[in-house]
Amino acid sequence: MFNALMANIVKFWLEFKRYYFNTISGVATLLIFFYFMFFGIKAIGGANISSGDTLEGMIVGYFMWTMFIFSFQGVAWGIIEEAQRGTLEQVFMSPIAFEYQMLFRMVSDFIFNVWLAVPLMYFVAFTTKRQLSFDLPTLLYLLIVGTISALGVGMVLGGIALVFKRISSFIQIVTFGSLAFTMFDSSQLWYRLLPMSQAAQMMKKMATTGTRLYQFPFSDHLLLWLAATLYLFVGILIFRIFERHAMISGTLSQY
């Protein structure tokens, strides 16, 4: 198991270095998109929005969104790439269960995504003259637990990819639809149970008021873990249903 995890980390690092131009382009796209949103909202909102904590919350929400989409897209695109390369069936024949391999890929993606996202968050806060307060243990805790729900969404998309092969348009719909529950605030229970929404709300509170891990109410932690567990369980269940369908129909290795 440990060797499989290390293999995924090494693979991610090698591809990161080999295709560095694509990585740089992706980071530049994220920054440009953010600045368009930030200064657009600031121009529309005027002085009132500039003096509040809305802009700080938007910075945190945006980067929580990027962590979310990187996480669930990593699983879905990983399956699509394996199918394109013709190695998907070999991965399924490995002695390590496919779900664990996807988990290891998720862990490796998470390590490098945090390595990129956190410095970028500080960078945009500095360039936009916003004050963000981060407690590292609280930050990592919220990112890790929040990403678990993203893994569940990724497993659902991965299962769909096993059967329908090309789902890039659907992934884009989920990607931009997820902006609604990572960047906007709501106190309603159903909203906070959406993937990564509770983690985003707690991180905004941490960044704007300096709230630490032990200062959040127990109900906030309960909702955070409930959403993470629920989406992971449902994601794995739906993935296995699609996986079984693909195996029975004999279309697992087709593209």
Side-chain angles (χ1 to χ4, degrees):
M1 289 288 190
F2 179 76
N3 290 336
L5 173 61
M6 292 306 300
N8 274 279
I9 293 175
V10 172
K11 174 178 175 292
F12 191 99
W13 175 245
L14 291 175
E15 290 183 341
F16 178 85
K17 292 195 302 180
R18 175 61 181 84
Y19 304 109
Y20 65 90
F21 181 77
N22 183 64
T23 303
I24 295 173
S25 301
V27 171
T29 301
L30 287 175
L31 289 175
I32 292 171
F33 185 53
F34 168 79
Y35 285 124
F36 275 132
M37 290 181 58
F38 181 88
F39 290 109
I41 293 175
K42 188 175 180 180
I44 295 173
N48 291 332
I49 195 171
S50 298
S51 60
D53 60 3
T54 303
L55 296 179
E56 285 83 352
M58 196 200 80
I59 294 174
V60 176
Y62 180 80
F63 282 95
M64 285 295 286
W65 175 67
T66 61
M67 288 294 298
F68 177 74
I69 63 175
F70 286 157
S71 299
F72 80 75
Q73 285 184 357
V75 177
W77 284 116
I79 292 175
I80 294 173
E81 288 179 358
E82 295 288 355
Q84 289 176 328
R85 295 170 180 171
T87 56
L88 183 61
E89 203 165 29
Q90 296 177 23
V91 177
F92 270 92
M93 293 173 64
S94 169
I96 301 176
F98 187 76
E99 289 85 354
Y100 288 112
Q101 297 189 55
M102 289 297 100
L103 177 61
F104 296 151
R105 178 170 295 181
M106 187 80 168
V107 171
S108 62
D109 288 353
F110 175 80
I111 292 173
F112 286 99
N113 289 339
V114 170
W115 179 65
L116 283 174
V118 174
L120 284 177
M121 204 184 304
Y122 278 105
F123 174 76
V124 298
F126 174 76
T127 55
T128 56
K129 299 180 180 179
R130 299 287 110 183
Q131 294 293 326
L132 298 179
S133 175
F134 285 112
D135 174 60
L136 185 58
T138 307
L139 175 65
L140 293 177
Y141 167 75
L142 294 175
L143 286 176
I144 291 171
V145 183
T147 304
I148 294 175
S149 62
L151 174 59
V153 176
M155 294 301 288
V156 173
L157 294 176
I160 296 173
L162 284 178
V163 176
F164 297 102
K165 309 306 178 185
R166 289 193 176 187
I167 62 166
S168 56
S169 297
F170 184 67
I171 292 177
Q172 290 175 6
I173 293 173
V174 177
T175 297
F176 288 103
S178 60
L179 271 171
F181 47 82
T182 53
M183 292 192 63
F184 303 116
D185 292 317
S186 177
S187 58
Q188 298 183 21
L189 179 61
W190 67 267
Y191 181 90
R192 296 171 69 185
L193 285 174
L194 291 172
M196 223 167 185
S197 175
Q198 178 65 8
Q201 305 306 318
M202 293 174 70
M203 186 170 289
K204 290 174 187 177
K205 190 174 181 180
M206 175 196 68
T208 56
T209 65
T211 305
R212 294 177 179 266
L213 177 63
Y214 56 87
Q215 295 175 324
F216 286 102
F218 175 75
S219 58
D220 285 351
H221 292 283
L222 181 62
L223 281 173
L224 181 68
W225 280 99
L226 180 62
T229 305
L230 175 64
Y231 284 102
L232 181 62
F233 175 78
V234 172
I236 292 175
L237 178 63
I238 294 177
F239 176 84
R240 287 180 174 173
I241 293 173
F242 279 107
E243 177 188 25
R244 180 174 176 79
H245 174 77
M247 287 182 171
I248 292 175
S249 60
T251 60
L252 186 63
S253 60
Q254 293 180 5
Y255 179 70

